[in-house]
Structures are given as structure tokens and as C-alpha cells.
Amino acid sequence: MQLTLARHPVTDLRFDTPARLEGSILLIDRAELRRLVLEDESIVSVDFDIARPGERCRAGPIFDVIEPRAKAPGCGADFPGILGAPITAGIGTTHVLTGAAVSVLAEISPDPTRSATGRVLEMSGAPVEASEYSSLQHLIVIPHTKPGLPRQTLEKAYRLAGIRVAVEVARSAWNHLPTNLQTFEPVGPGEKGRDGRARVAYVGQIFSRQRKPAVDEPILYGANTDGMLPVMLHPDEWLDGAVVPSLHSWFGGTETYFYQNHPIILELYQRHQAREINFVGTVATIAGSDNFDRERHCRAAANLVKWNLNADGAVLSKYGGGLPHADLAETARLLEGMGIKTSVMVSDVSRDRRVESALLFNVPEVDAIVYNGGNGKQWEVPRVDRIIAATPEFTELLAGPMTIDASNIVGITNQQGASRMRAMVY
Amino acid sequence: MPCPYSRLSPRAYPEEFAMRIAHYLNQFFGGIGAEEHAGKELEVRDGAVGPGRLLESLLGNDARIVLTLVCGDNYAVEHQDEVTASVVEKVRHANVDLFVAGPCFDAGRYGMAAGALCRAVQAELSISVVTAMSEENPGVDLNRDALYIIDSGTSIANMRNVLDKMARLSRKLVTKEPIGLPHEEGYLRRGWLRDQLVEKKAATRLVDMLLAKMNGEPFESEMPPTAFAPIPMPAGVKNLSRAKLMLITDGGLVPKGNPDRIEGTAATRWGSYSIEGRDDLRAEDYEVSHGGYDTRFVQEDPDRLVPLDALREMEKNGVIGKLHDEFISTCGRSNPLSNTRRLGREMAAKIKRDGVDAVILTST
């Protein structure tokens, strides 16, 4: 497998026809994108807007953030299994508009019991130093769906609108020379010339079956994970569109952008290239809905790491809510029992800010824990010049000034390892 | 002649600020005597006494211990309410900026008294308080979540070092500077979390930690393991066919309209709902207030969560004596322990009142 990321830095977005890339300015043809988005019968109209770093602007609720990327012609499918045939991702050249993002808004709150606003994108003020998204040029996609559709139909429409637009705008880079070509050194259980380096694997949950997925819910190559056992993926498959977040989990802190720029995978790649480690591969797994499921998934994931990847160490991350912490800890425990050292990354679950409420497992072998923060930090954010929202209600709700929880700013309570917000014990 | 640059010393306070301090000591450090004087009543002295003198000098020229309170260890513990009330009043009248107790090292009664006094002064007078104890002092676990307790270790030989840490932390508390982490300031972990932006993103820390662990280098988990006191298994029900059973769920099943407004996340309330005369829970009578699991199957048939149908059958067949006329419900999602302990205690009180012998807890 050999993925080449052809990077084109983008420093500004503008609306114009025809769509094109002029130097580092991306010109976007709204009419063309509108035609594309409206192919989905669930969407009756769509608006577009632009949010720039430093601008006194707030957008929300954010359903997803996607990096504009397009496979070079003949190199395979974008988001295989969703937009095209489920052929292997991670092969050949993919054009990337570095510094840009396509961000999709929703017309509903993801979880009214936890947050009325959903997650918002702040482009100015104090929160920007905590979210990588604030430094990107955002094309905001604002879909308006047919009234009365079931929630998962809406969410699927948002997902498809976002990735279709992201691919389409990135195609403007097709005929341009990239500024930078990024390739990664070969990774695999049998790579030669790395004797003596620690063999390290990544085990990442991609779904939590706390909720049964919709029949047509795209997660892994378009499949909804029903009947799935843990599976080995090449790291380039994660980076190149094989995995997207589930439809219901847009409050959980996973966005398509950080699959495409997976912080853990990129970190392991960097150590691999520096000859610090031998990155042997990854396993994609799911959190079970009950102990029976959990046993099956955790054992299968641990077995792949041991017997197929022959790893000495593994880093693990979770997906979804509280329950997946149990699967995470159990998989790590099984690995430790096989002599494979582990470290795990968990979400901040302490709602009373007490250390005693911080962990959802107590497994002595799981002794290397990275703890994300976000439940205890708030900012006073001012009224801003511009609110980008899909409904008048959200425009009003997001206007400010208001107190906003860090967990309600997209990019901070990130389960893919992108955040620098840490809950410190004191 | 005073040095003209003295105000530029690192210990200088903002503009003309003179810190007034009250200090609590036990009979030993107060210079009265050892254990044989532990029954000594509270007494008040003007100015600094014993370790207070060193503390004063470490705090700098503009800090003054205006009041020292000395009490025997036994007296303080045996007359805690009286001593506390008296100390709070005296500190109130002294109009101070800071209350210091100890350092207590591993002296248990001294630590308990110092902790109780610091808490009371902090709560009633809203002024800064600092104390110091060794980790093993029984005063620590009772008070660590409420107080800054400098880690004194057990050796009195460390007095100067301990007082220096107390002085530094005191200055920060009084001038409302941000307080650093336990290892930076020298206080004992309080058991709280606070969010902070750190230099490295989580992914980098995750890989760093794994590599340190694999290389046998020291690493520090970002979260200590949580340990809970074991809960003894209750005795089994002797005769189930005579027992009164009750169903309790944290799966959020509530009557239509959610009359008790039980929250779908971190519920602060619970409800008790009649099932008298029913053999089955009908979907149209109930809803689910819980955002953490796929509730569709329970909504279709609430007996899947609160198995009334099965228990009625067991009741008819004489397997159980009687099913209680009500079931209890709350929502267990993302609920902190400080909250669930209270919910549990309240439910247990009701269960006892209602004469229930055994409970089946169903969770999701």
C-alpha cells in the first residue's frame, strides 16, 4: 500500500465561477455544489458560507468537519463504499487542500439532554487556541432537509452532503502541481530492516453498539458494522476515506477530518519514520452492546494484535460514550496478559470534577492512561458579528454573549487524540 | 538604614499590602508541653509563637501573625464544636487575611483539629486557609477535597522547608494568584480535576507513554486508579417464597410525560411508580428518559427493562412471596458518584420503610 498525499495549501476561500484553484485561493462554484447536494431527495435547499480564522464568527451546530480531498483520476474511489465501489482506500495519489475544511451544519441539536447548542465552531476569541479547527478556512454547508424525516435520514443526508462537497471542491486541485508530496514509509507486520525496534500497533474503536446502527449507516467502507468482527486496516486506509464517524455520534468528538488526519496514526508514522518504532499496523474494532459481544470483540482484537501483527506494544482509543471504556480496558487487559504493553486514551466523564468519577474501569493492568479534558472548562464568549446557522432558532441561540463549555466547541473533546485539553488531577 | 531596594525583593506584596494572619498550634508547638498537657483548653496569644515566628519571616516583612491560638490535642478533639466556634469568633474579630494551622506532620489529633478548624474558618469567614500534614495523617482524608494541605512528611526536621511551602502557597491564595498542581506547590492531591491546555496533544502523550512503558522508563498515568471500599455481600434471602421483592432500574423508564422530570443524563432525581393490579407494562403508558443506550426496544415493550410480566408469573407460582406495588426508576447515564450515593441512600431508605426484603436491579 502506498498513499501519496499531494498537498495544496489553501489560504483563502471565495465564491466564484468556474470553480478553480488560483495559487492558494480556492474559488468555489456555489451553483455547481448546490446541484450536487440536491441530488439527495432528503435535502430541499442548501446554502453555503465561508468562515475564516480570526473572523468574529460562530457556526453551529456542527455535524461534521471534513478536509477537502479528492483521489487523482484513476487512483481509486473517494470514500469507497459510500460514494463509490468499496475498493481499497489508501492507494495512489490523493489531492489535499491543506488548511481548508468543509463543515456541515445540522438543523437539530445532537443531544438536547446534554447540549442545546450542539458543538459550535468558534473562529475568534479565547477558545481558538484549544481547537485546531479554528485555524482553518471553512466552507460551511447548510443543508435544509424535508420536514418530518426521521433523524437518521437527516443525519445521513448531512454526511453525504459534507463528503460530496469536500470531494468536489478538492477536484479543483487536479490540474495543479502540489506544493508538497507526502508519502509514508511502508508499514506492515513483515516489513524488513526494522529489527530491534519496538513493534507497535494501534487498536481504534470505530463504533459503539450502544445504539444499533441504521441499516444504511455508513461507517467502514459504507458498512454499518452489523456482524462485524475486529479487522486489520492499513493505516493509509484510515487516512484515505475507509472510515467515517457514525451518524448518531456527532456529539462524541469524532469528525471525518481527524480520520483523514488521524492524530494517533500520524504520530505512529512519525516515530516509524524516525526509526523509533516499528509501526506494524492497526486494528479497527467496535464496542459491544453487552458482555457477550464485548468478550467476542475484545478477544478478537487482542488476537489480531498478538498473532497477526506480532506487536510488542499497542495504543488504544475509544469511540462513543461511557460504555466503550469497558471494551477499551478489557482489550488492553487481554493484551497485557499476552505480554503486549498498552496505553489507552479515554474521554473525560467526570461530571462533578471529582477524580473518583473520572474512570469507568478499574483494571490494575491498565495503568497507562491518557485523559482528555473538556468537561470542566468554560469560556465567556462575546456576541459576534456573524452567526452561521441552519435555522433562525440556532442563529438566536448562538448569538452570544454566552458561557460555553469546552465540550461544546468542536475539536476539543476529541476522541481521535487531536486535543491539547487535559483534565489535570489536583 | 533600611535598604532602599527592599520593596523589589521577590517577597514584596502589591502596594502597601500588609498581610494579617491567625495561626493555630497544638500544645506542643505552642510551647506548653508534650502529651501530659494534651488536655489544655484553648488559649489566645498576641503575635507569633514557635513555628509562627519562622513562618512570619518567610512570608516577608509585611506579613504579621496577629493572633496565635493554642489548644491541647485531646481538648480540641473532645470539644471540637466548642473549640471550632471559639476559634472562628476570635479569627473573625482579628480581621485577618489568612488562617494557618500547623504544620501537624503525622500527629493525628492535631491534624483532625487543624482540618476541622480550617474548614470552618474557610466556610464561615471566606478567608484563605492553609495547613500541612503528612499523607498518613487522619486529618488528610477527611479534608483533602476542601483544603490545601501542604505535604509535610513526618519529620519535624523539615519544619523550615514545610513552612516555606506554606508561605508560598499562602501568598498565592491571599493575592488570588493561580494555584499550580500538587507537585508544583507541594500540597497533597485534593481529588479534583481541572482542565488545562497542555503542550502536547493527546495522541503524542499516548505514544510517549507507551514507549516509556515499553522501555521500562518511568511514566505517569494521567489518571490514578480509583479504589473503592469493598461493599460486603448481603446475606441471601432465606425464603424467597415469602419475601417481598422490588424492581429498581437505572434505565430511565418513566410514566408518559415523565412526571418527576428525571433527567436523561446525570439524573438528580428518581421516581417510584405504581404497578398495583398490573401484570404487564404497556408501551403506551411509559417512556424512557435516558440518552445513553438504544431505547427503542424498551419503548416497544417496557417489560424488557422492568420485567413485571415475569415476576407476576413467579408471584402466581409461589416462587416469590410478593412483588412490591411500586418500582423505582432513575437514569444512570454519566452520573457522578457524589450524586449516585445520595440517590442510593434515598432509595434504600424508602425500601426499608416499605418493608421490602430483596431488590432486583436492572441496568442498561
Side-chain angles (χ1 to χ4, degrees), chain A residues 212 271 336 351-352 367 374, chain B residues 195 208 213 294 334 338:
Chain A
K212 204 169 153 43
R271 314 286 181 122
E336 293 279 348
R351 296 178 67 87
D352 59 2
D367 59 357
Chain B
D195 286 358
D208 280 347
K213 185 170 164 179
D294 195 337
S334 302
S338 51

Side-chain angles (χ1 to χ4, degrees), chain B residues 73-336:
Chain B
D73 280 335
N74 284 343
Y75 192 89
V77 170
E78 286 159 14
H79 304 84
Q80 192 175 315
D81 291 348
E82 172 208 319
V83 172
T84 302
S86 175
V87 167
V88 167
E89 271 326 291
K90 289 179 169 51
V91 173
R92 188 199 305 275
H93 287 118
N95 190 29
V96 296
D97 309 296
L98 173 74
F99 178 73
V100 178
C104 311
F105 302 97
D106 54 353
R109 289 161 301 167
Y110 190 13
M112 310 257 282
L117 292 173
C118 283
R119 282 183 91 125
V121 168
Q122 179 173 261
E124 293 186 37
L125 307 181
S126 298
I127 61 172
S128 303
V129 299
V130 173
T131 182
M133 304 179 202
S134 70
E135 177 90 54
E136 310 76 35
N137 194 309
V140 171
D141 274 343
L142 290 171
N143 299 297
R144 66 192 315 155
D145 63 339
L147 301 177
Y148 283 105
I149 305 174
I150 292 287
D151 184 2
S152 67
T154 54
S155 167
I156 296 172
N158 281 330
M159 180 64 91
R160 190 187 173 88
N161 184 266
V162 174
L163 288 173
D164 192 48
K165 285 179 187 160
M166 292 174 87
R168 283 167 197 275
L169 183 64
S170 297
R171 199 179 307 128
K172 286 190 174 179
L173 286 169
V174 170
T175 56
K176 305 216 175 340
E177 278 177 61
I179 307 298
L181 295 168
H183 69 275
E184 294 162 346
E185 307 282 1
Y187 62 87
L188 292 165
R189 204 173 75 210
R190 305 180 60 182
W192 294 100
L193 296 176
R194 73 172 183 221
D195 286 358
Q196 200 168 305
L197 277 180
V198 295
E199 190 194 331
K200 290 179 178 174
K201 64 173 77 164
T204 309
R205 282 149 39 212
L206 183 69
V207 175
D208 280 347
M209 202 182 288
L210 177 72
L211 297 186
K213 185 170 164 179
M214 291 178 79
N215 295 334
E217 291 159 11
F219 66 94
E220 197 180 344
S221 177
E222 294 180 6
M223 199 52 62
T226 316
F228 299 105
I231 297 167
M233 181 74 82
V237 180
K238 284 216 181 75
N239 188 348
L240 204 55
S241 65
R242 286 196 183 162
K244 182 153 121 181
L245 258 73
M246 185 177 199
L247 287 167
I248 300 185
T249 186
D250 69 357
L253 188 75
V254 292
K256 264 266 149 42
N258 193 2
D260 294 303
R261 292 175 294 114
I262 293 171
E263 305 92 325
T265 296
T268 58
R269 293 183 278 270
W270 54 277
S272 180
Y273 306 111
S274 174
I275 44 175
E276 200 177 348
R278 291 188 212 190
D279 292 335
D280 176 41
L281 300 177
R282 295 183 312 171
E284 57 268 33
D285 298 333
Y286 293 92
E287 63 184 59
V288 182
S289 177
H290 198 302
Y293 72 103
D294 195 337
T295 60
R296 286 174 292 181
F297 306 98
V298 172
Q299 253 146 5
E300 247 169 49
D301 182 359
D303 291 272
R304 287 174 176 154
L305 179 64
V306 178
L308 174 63
D309 51 357
L311 277 140
R312 282 287 184 238
E313 223 175 284
M314 293 173 110
E315 199 178 27
K316 275 180 203 134
N317 298 340
V319 179
I320 61 168
K322 180 176 167 33
L323 182 64
H324 191 47
D325 287 339
E326 291 168 279
F327 77 90
I328 286 178
S329 180
T330 188
C331 167
R333 182 197 192 188
S334 302
N335 219 334

Side-chain angles (χ1 to χ4, degrees), chain A residues 110-145:
Chain A
D111 180 353
T113 67
R114 294 193 72 164
S115 159
T117 59
R119 293 193 175 194
V120 304
L121 176 67
E122 285 284 314
M123 298 308 285
S124 61
V128 302
E129 63 166 336
S131 174
E132 278 190 44
Y133 291 136
S134 300
S135 60
L136 303 175
Q137 309 281 337
H138 290 260
L139 170 62
I140 312 274
V141 181
I142 312 158
H144 304 286
T145 50

Side-chain angles (χ1 to χ4, degrees), chain A residues 101-175:
Chain A
V102 169
S103 296
V104 189
L105 299 188
E107 303 146 288
I108 50 170
S109 163
D111 180 353
T113 67
R114 294 193 72 164
S115 159
T117 59
R119 293 193 175 194
V120 304
L121 176 67
E122 285 284 314
M123 298 308 285
S124 61
V128 302
E129 63 166 336
S131 174
E132 278 190 44
Y133 291 136
S134 300
S135 60
L136 303 175
Q137 309 281 337
H138 290 260
L139 170 62
I140 312 274
V141 181
I142 312 158
H144 304 286
T145 50
K146 238 182 229 171
L149 290 177
R151 186 186 168 109
Q152 68 208 39
T153 309
L154 292 188
E155 291 171 332
K156 185 160 183 203
Y158 299 153
R159 166 79 64 242
L160 292 178
I163 60 177
R164 278 178 176 147
V165 168
V167 170
E168 186 57 34
V169 297
R171 285 184 176 161
S172 291
W174 266 353
N175 299 316

